[in-house]
Amino acid sequence: MKNNEKSEELWKRAHERNAKRVRNMMIQLGGLWVKLGQYLSTRADVLPSAYISLLKQLQDSLPPRPLQEVCRTIERELGKSMKEIFLDFDENSLATASIAQVHRATLIDGREVVVKVQHEDIKAIILEDLKDAKSIVDWIAWAEPQYNFNPMIDEWCKETPKELDFNHEAENTRTVSKNLGCTNKYDSDKSINQVDVLIPEVIQSTEKVLILEYMDGIRLNDLESLEACGANKQKIVEEITRAYAHQIYVDGFFNGDPHSGNFLVSKEPPHRPILLDFGFTKKISSSMKQSLAKMFLATAEGDHVALLSSFAEMGLKLRLDLPEQAMDVTSIFFRASTPANEAAEYAKTLNEQRTRNMKVLQEKMNLSQKEVKRFNPIDAFPGDMVIFSRVVNLLRGLSSTLNARIVYQDIMRPFAESVLQEKIAKGPSANAQWIYDTPVHSEVEAKLRQILVELGNEDKILGIQVCAYKDGKVIIDTAAGVLGRYDPRPVQPDSLFSVFSVTKGITAGMLHWLVDNGKLNLDESIANIWPEFGTNGKNLIKVHHVLNHTAGLQNALDNLRKENPLLLTDWDECLKQIAMSEPETEPGQVQLYHFLSFGWLCGGIIEHASGKKFQEILEEAFVRPLNIEGELYVGIPPGVESRLASLTIDKDDFSKLSKIGSLSALPSTFQPENISQLVTTLLALSNMLNIRRAIIPAANGHCSARALARYYAALVDRGLVPPPHSSLSTPPLGSHPHIPKFSSEITSKMQNGKKSKAVGSASKKKENGYEQKTKQSKDSKDNGSGRESNSDGYTSTSGSSSARNTSSPDNSSASSNDSRKNNVIWIFNDPRIHDQFMGTGEYSDLVLPNGKFGLGFKRFSSSDGSFSGFGHSGLGGSTGFCDIENRFAIAVTLNKISFGTATRKIIQFVCSELNVPLPDEFSILSGTEAGEGLSISRALFN
């Protein structure tokens, strides 16, 4: 114990001795070095107390300049003698800091003021200091690349010179005072996002002299006086924090220098903070303000998707995919402040966390300890973030100095929410840009946009995309609304929506593609393809049973979902559970919706039949042939987060669940009495990054409406890929890289044409199977059908029309005949593919008669009772389907989860305008309770 006490005493003396040296050196150097000392003096959360107590003298207690120099500057700037300006001028300065000193005075008209006078020659000193600092930073960045402070010094070089013009400061002071609604009158009834602070009135200004209203107050670092007057230090710091939250998130215009020397506390109750010195301010754009608010809320809610999206929006680029570590860093950044006496222990905790993150980085990049120390994971750092980061750190240091504990995520949250919700709440009635600005393709589309505006004004739409093809051509491609409840960015044609069970239509198509390529038979026992599956009485289940939802495994993964939903992200575990499951009914006897198990049943069949990864088949079969790269995924890759729409719920719709009873065609989990809780849980899970990145082939599709519509436009023509998507749509469909690259991969590949070991390792650890690339044969040979085959027996998608013995549905169509004169692309060979999809014709024996499902798709009936089309909808309203006879395909994607109210109205309108039969699923229902109950029950089947 004595040894510990002796050690602490030795450290205390060392800190006191060194702190004096640092302070004296900074005073001697002056200029920018004093400002550095001012910053350090606020960091009671990281520096020993000896440094804080001595460096805080740099805030306002530097040796004053001679009075003659002060008077000379005033008279030169104001063009009058001191006696003409002042009745009284206090020769002793109130405060002296790095750039100026302040004197109390009385104007000739009797007003009490303070006069801020700039030091002579300080401008040249500061500019020279900035030049020196830039050289030092450049050298450090060269010697130790992980310590590249160039973005910070560049921002300082841009902003600091503005602080030397007091006219600029005067205007800033007026602006902030107006923004914060500052008055000298205390208002106890202020709303939650109003702040209660004081700012002195500007009387007069020139470049080097600023005259302000005098406010009598106690310095914030005078703790004894604050105690004596009964000021509540906790409330003072909370109100200062609120004032800065307002400046940053609401106004986008904030003071960049909140050290304790720039605050006073009014002597009279309720002891309000007085904000001073607005020379160093920062103005940020509306988009940056929203990005900062989104980053804050994403951190508060642990939302990795929103966090990575906010990074992309503000221009903060990482060299590799590190979502967990990024969340750790921002959580530390927005952490609650700690009193100064707890700072050392907390600093130790932070250092341990940093060590853990460095170890993760080292393993991910396969680097040595020396290499990882030199690796900078940040590729680009926005300049606006420099001052923002400084402000948050200064506020934290300020609260530690006053021994206040500030929970930033509580205090700042209402302000961050308000800036996002304000723009979102406007809706189409107050937002002329609510419909994304793209050209209109048809009269139908022009009318549809009016309907979307009506639905938006009724709060039935948050964000939406609608795309439709007729006779192989795009007739609708509209995006509207915003990306999320906390994301006011507009929905664009390339935005990605989570479409839930719409995914089943994609997954079923992949399985049919393998059948079409001879890798699988619909009447084949699954156990023949997937031996592990043939246990527990499943040896009789065939491929067509799975597609027709008659396999008897509708609840196969229910226990996994209930016990630990996150295990649904584990592809191998889910396949294992499916293989071990036991059927509840005989195959082919009862059609019960396999809402989750359908995906892994199909996924297991696809991988075992093809010998390839699920993602490979998706890309090979549909993504590349349809030219929809970057806009159709089952499990997103890293790097697309900024285009994701986030999900929210239509509470009004879900309040109607009580109106319907049990539904025999649905598993017990999906009965109405359970659905509300399920949807709430599902919504939270579906917005999580690891869920969005997982392969969940029944429910985890992410796509744009134009990619989904193009898929169904090809299916409606038996696999004929439509002409290139409309050139009016921006950005062009297929223009995104399907798997974005991080700079660590790109730059390494450029080095001597070789991958570094860091890249090799990182690529192996990519998410959800994206490290597997589809292998194309270098010596593809013509198989005699006008199409090419590669070495593993798969058929490629290019060739001539002579390869087909069938034509598209409108055989006599000029456009169809014209397309056959050119090189065309088919994604299916079999002319009976429609019968396969719907389980009709010679495939009718493979489906349960009169069931809602064909072979993987929901089928739609025409007025004569025959099946006219097929498709699949998803929970919440997203849908994709086609009508064969009318060569019509449509897709709707949206992010406000409901029972399909908006989707039904859209589909009803478009079908009516085009004279296309309306599928039962979207039919017009009466306004009675029975009608509402039926519409809800239909939605539950998705």
Side-chain angles (χ1 to χ4, degrees), residues 526-578:
I526 297 173
N528 291 344
I529 310 158
W530 181 2
E532 298 88 347
F533 183 82
T535 59
N536 296 328
K538 298 193 299 297
N539 55 307
L540 296 179
I541 299 176
K542 298 184 177 181
V543 174
H544 66 82
H545 292 136
V546 169
L547 289 170
N548 193 228
H549 294 270
T550 56
L553 296 169
Q554 61 274 8
N555 291 311
L557 291 168
D558 206 34
N559 287 336
L560 197 67
R561 179 189 63 78
K562 289 177 180 176
E563 291 170 8
N564 185 357
L566 293 180
L567 282 177
L568 297 177
T569 65
D570 188 331
W571 175 260
D572 292 332
E573 179 61 25
C574 289
L575 290 187
K576 179 183 173 183
Q577 292 289 331
I578 286 287

Side-chain angles (χ1 to χ4, degrees), residues 660-679:
I660 60 173
S662 61
L663 301 167
S664 59
L666 283 173
S668 57
T669 309
F670 261 52
Q671 292 304 317
E673 64 270 19
N674 300 323
I675 194 70
S676 186
Q677 178 62 42
L678 180 65
V679 169

Side-chain angles (χ1 to χ4, degrees), residues 811-823:
N811 217 15
S812 61
S813 162
S815 63
S816 179
N817 288 334
D818 287 344
S819 72
R820 281 159 172 67
K821 293 177 184 177
N822 303 313
N823 188 43

